[in-house]
Amino acid sequence: MDLVEVLPNRLHMLRFPIGQAYLWQDGGALTLVDAGNAESAAAIEGAIRSLGLLPERLERIVLTHCHRDHVGAAGELAARWGARVLAHRLDAPVVRGERPVPEPVLLDWEIPLYAHGLTVPEAPPTPVDRELEDGDALGFGDGARVVHAPGHTDGSIGIHLPRHGVLFTGDCVAAVGPPMLGVFNVDRVRAIESFRRLAALEPSVACFGHGDPLTVDTASALAEAAAGTPA
């Protein structure tokens, strides 16, 4: 796992072989956005300690959606350190193991990528302490809010920190080179609508579920990519 500073003393990316998570600091209080795969709890704890922070200060784990490379270690970390797990109401039953993971409608070129993604260990059923809705306040980042961004999954969300100009897009948007619509969507049309909604927030920093964060000309790059994505 790689640990990458995005904003000094505020935001780090935790990058795994497939997917990534983000650690946000409010003083000593910590929030994790997504939680890597089911085998990544020890690496996440080690990353927190390497920054001179205390894992017992992890207050919440906000899941952008229900896929295994984002949910995996959430339950173990929550049980170990007392963090609360948050997920959108529509994805929470999947996170808890009450419903199956929704099958995406794959484009031809996505099929081999999807097969590779399934090499990530399955996420165990994970309790969800709070079910989220669009616009909900999240209690960190000086006013972080939920932005419902369906299409990748029904309960996919973005997380917007307007006072810091930061946007976590989950897998609605990816950045393999320039930003692009994320892959493996259950509803491509809704995913494009969500991409445009997220781009309209005009963040200065965009953090993706896959790909390096965007910190330069972010708003214009997102707007151009969203406008140019064909249905």
Side-chain angles (χ1 to χ4, degrees), residues 40-46 49 55-56 58 73-83:
S40 60
I44 291 172
E45 179 183 337
R49 293 190 186 279
E56 53 264 38
L58 181 63
E76 182 175 348
L77 290 168
R80 186 178 298 178
W81 302 114

Side-chain angles (χ1 to χ4, degrees), residues 15-81:
R15 182 164 50 202
F16 305 97
I18 295 178
Q20 50 215 32
Y22 294 90
L23 183 70
W24 179 268
Q25 300 172 232
D26 286 307
L30 306 177
T31 296
L32 196 63
V33 176
D34 291 325
N37 64 62
E39 298 174 349
S40 60
I44 291 172
E45 179 183 337
I48 291 171
R49 293 190 186 279
S50 75
L51 294 170
L53 303 170
L54 299 174
E56 53 264 38
R57 296 296 307 277
L58 181 63
E59 294 187 354
R60 65 188 65 78
I61 302 168
V62 187
L63 303 176
T64 62
H65 62 289
C66 61
H67 286 161
R68 61 179 69 185
D69 55 324
H70 295 258
V71 173
E76 182 175 348
L77 290 168
R80 186 178 298 178
W81 302 114

Side-chain angles (χ1 to χ4, degrees), residues 8 12 21 40 43 56 97 103 119 125 162-163 176 184 197 202 207 231:
H12 287 78
S40 60
E56 53 264 38
E103 290 293 332
T119 63
R163 291 192 182 181
V176 183
F184 315 151
R197 184 185 185 199
E202 299 184 339
C207 296

Side-chain angles (χ1 to χ4, degrees), residues 205-223:
V205 175
C207 296
F208 311 105
H210 300 269
D212 290 339
L214 189 58
T215 60
V216 177
D217 297 327
T218 302
S220 59
L222 287 177

Side-chain angles (χ1 to χ4, degrees), residues 102-207:
E103 290 293 332
V105 179
L106 298 173
L107 302 175
D108 288 345
W109 64 270
E110 293 178 327
I111 293 173
L113 294 176
Y114 187 66
H116 179 59
L118 293 179
T119 63
V120 173
E122 287 191 31
T126 299
V128 175
D129 300 292
R130 180 183 170 193
E131 295 189 7
L132 301 171
E133 298 282 359
D134 185 53
D136 280 355
L138 292 168
F140 76 97
D142 301 304
R145 294 274 178 179
V146 173
V147 184
H148 189 205
H152 185 64
T153 65
D154 289 340
S156 288
I157 61 171
I159 302 165
H160 187 211
L161 282 62
R163 291 192 182 181
H164 297 278
V166 173
L167 176 66
F168 300 94
T169 72
D171 280 3
C172 179
V173 190
V176 183
M180 58 175 280
L181 182 71
V183 295
F184 315 151
N185 298 301
V186 299
D187 187 329
R188 180 180 173 86
V189 171
R190 292 187 79 195
I192 293 170
E193 293 171 353
S194 294
F195 188 179
R196 291 172 179 164
R197 184 185 185 199
L198 293 176
L201 297 171
E202 299 184 339
S204 55
V205 175
C207 296

